[in-house]
Amino acid sequence: METIKNYLESMFRDLPNRPEILKAKNELLQMMEDKYTELRREGKSENEAVATVISEFGNLDEVAQTLGIDKIINDNSHSEVKQIDGEEINGYIKAKRTSIILRAIGVFFFITCSTPPILWNAFSFDDRWGAAGLFINIAIGIILMVTSSHVLEAYRYLEYERCSISAETTKNVSQMKKAFTPAYSVLHPVGIALIVLCFLPPILMDKSPFWSEISPVLLFYFIGAGVGLIIFSKKTMRMYNRILSLNGNNTIGGEYLREHFTKEPEYKNKTQRTIMEVYWPTITCVYLLISFLTFNWKITWIIWPIAGVVNSILRNCFSTEE
């Protein structure tokens, strides 16, 4: 019987989420269940009963008039939707994870590209090797960024074409997201904490002339690792959310999205969305700039709780959600 229910979900998943469609779906399910029960009582095996039910009721075009939704079916038929199977989604998840990891490491190399000259200077090595290390870091970062983009080439259609996934695939992806949530709850705060606490090495190592020269290296490593963790955790979570949103929110298949998935807020215009996207990176830059100019780390931390309050206010003002 579970096979019949899954098949029914696939039949209706791309239709508009309207009362008459939901009613028709429930009526068809009842018809299929009644037929299945009848066949089982006649001595048919489960596989035979399922096959008969699907062959008799499995063509929505044939039963649409009986259900009173033939006009809606005809109006919706011009809108082509690419059906994505579970194997394709699993391939996309593997490629996307690889892309995210490469991007996070690439950003780390960009942020820490100035550390080789600092280290070479601290150990009194030839400055030319330090400069070479800087450009090597940048080159590695660029290679990783380009590679992270190429890894996803085979799955670009998920971004630009109208696609949908089955109820079973949706359930599997939701379980993956649920399994990743504890890791996200740790990695994201740790990433933020590393950025906020990046000033600790310069402060703790200020007493020693040698270690004070090394401390900026650890500062950049703290920031690089923090940003890398944030990128990995945020983009991985967004990957799952993106897959779960393939079935449009206005379709029957999007029912999971409405019940289990909290979307990012939608903003009134592109400018407001851009402001919110760059908000936290800007706050981070302001925090570091003020902290390094004043060296008053005991006070500058107050920027973060204030920024959190302002962020909530802006989200409420800009968001289109009621």
Side-chain angles (χ1 to χ4, degrees):
M1 196 61 208
E2 192 67 27
T3 303
I4 293 175
K5 290 181 180 179
N6 289 336
Y7 190 86
L8 183 70
E9 290 293 336
S10 68
M11 290 171 63
F12 280 83
R13 67 184 176 192
D14 297 319
L15 294 181
N17 182 36
R18 293 162 55 175
E20 55 267 44
I21 296 294
L22 292 172
K23 180 182 177 182
K25 179 185 174 185
N26 291 331
E27 289 179 358
L28 184 57
L29 175 61
Q30 188 61 52
M31 293 164 60
M32 297 172 88
E33 287 179 341
D34 290 344
K35 185 64 177 180
Y36 175 82
T37 302
E38 178 185 337
L39 292 169
R40 292 288 285 161
R41 284 175 179 171
E42 292 176 359
K44 300 287 186 182
S45 68
E46 182 177 353
N47 290 338
E48 289 177 326
V50 169
T52 303
V53 170
I54 290 177
S55 65
E56 187 171 332
F57 300 100
N59 191 327
L60 196 55
D61 292 331
E62 294 179 359
V63 298
Q65 188 170 2
T66 304
L67 297 172
I69 58 172
D70 51 321
K71 188 175 185 301
I72 298 175
I73 297 294
N74 293 332
D75 290 342
N76 199 65
S77 61
H78 69 278
S79 180
E80 291 189 10
V81 180
K82 186 178 180 66
Q83 309 296 329
I84 310 299
D85 60 31
E87 187 175 344
E88 286 180 276
I89 291 298
N90 289 334
Y92 169 72
I93 290 175
K94 290 179 182 178
K96 186 66 174 179
R97 281 175 178 166
T98 302
S99 175
I100 292 170
I101 292 172
L102 292 175
R103 184 171 292 271
I105 297 174
V107 170
F108 176 84
F109 272 98
F110 281 132
I111 293 175
T112 61
C113 67
S114 60
T115 58
I118 297 174
L119 286 172
W120 260 245
N121 181 67
F123 287 101
S124 301
F125 293 155
D126 193 332
D127 290 341
R128 290 177 297 178
W129 288 107
L134 183 147
F135 288 109
I136 290 173
N137 271 25
I138 294 175
I140 293 174
I142 293 173
I143 292 171
L144 291 173
M145 288 294 189
V146 173
T147 304
S148 72
S149 180
H150 285 318
V151 166
L152 291 172
E153 281 301 322
Y155 300 95
R156 291 298 179 192
Y157 61 88
L158 288 173
E159 299 291 335
Y160 305 112
E161 297 182 27
R162 189 181 170 201
C163 305
S164 69
I165 56 178
S166 67
E168 183 180 0
T169 302
T170 300
K171 182 180 179 180
N172 292 337
V173 174
S174 68
Q175 289 174 346
M176 292 180 193
K177 177 184 175 183
K178 185 176 180 180
F180 178 73
T181 299
Y184 174 83
S185 301
V186 174
L187 295 176
H188 193 255
V190 168
I192 294 175
L194 286 173
I195 295 173
V196 174
L197 299 176
C198 67
F199 66 88
L200 285 179
I203 291 178
L204 297 177
M205 298 179 177
D206 188 50
K207 302 295 183 180
S208 169
F210 174 77
W211 289 110
S212 64
E213 293 184 28
I214 300 294
S215 62
V217 173
L218 296 179
L219 180 144
F220 285 117
Y221 283 165
F222 268 51
I223 297 174
V227 173
L229 289 176
I230 291 172
I231 290 174
F232 174 76
S233 59
K234 289 287 286 185
K235 285 191 173 293
T236 301
M237 187 61 74
R238 285 179 181 176
M239 171 190 68
Y240 292 126
N241 291 341
R242 169 60 185 160
I243 296 171
L244 294 175
S245 66
L246 286 176
N247 293 337
N249 194 36
N250 61 340
T251 65
I252 295 294
E255 188 63 34
Y256 174 89
L257 185 69
R258 289 183 292 277
E259 292 181 355
H260 303 282
F261 169 48
T262 302
K263 295 192 300 179
E264 291 290 323
E266 296 181 1
Y267 299 106
K268 298 173 183 176
N269 56 56
K270 186 176 180 180
T271 301
Q272 293 174 350
R273 184 171 63 252
T274 302
I275 291 173
M276 297 309 297
E277 287 176 351
V278 302
Y279 180 81
W280 285 112
T282 302
I283 293 298
T284 301
C285 292
V286 170
Y287 166 75
L288 293 174
L289 180 63
I290 294 176
S291 298
F292 278 114
L293 288 177
T294 64
F295 283 94
N296 204 347
W297 303 91
K298 294 181 180 179
I299 296 178
T300 53
W301 66 269
I302 199 68
I303 291 174
W304 294 104
I306 294 175
V309 173
V310 174
N311 179 64
S312 298
I313 294 173
L314 290 177
R315 283 166 68 98
N316 291 333
C317 291
F318 290 166
S319 176
T320 59
E321 296 178 353
E322 296 296 331

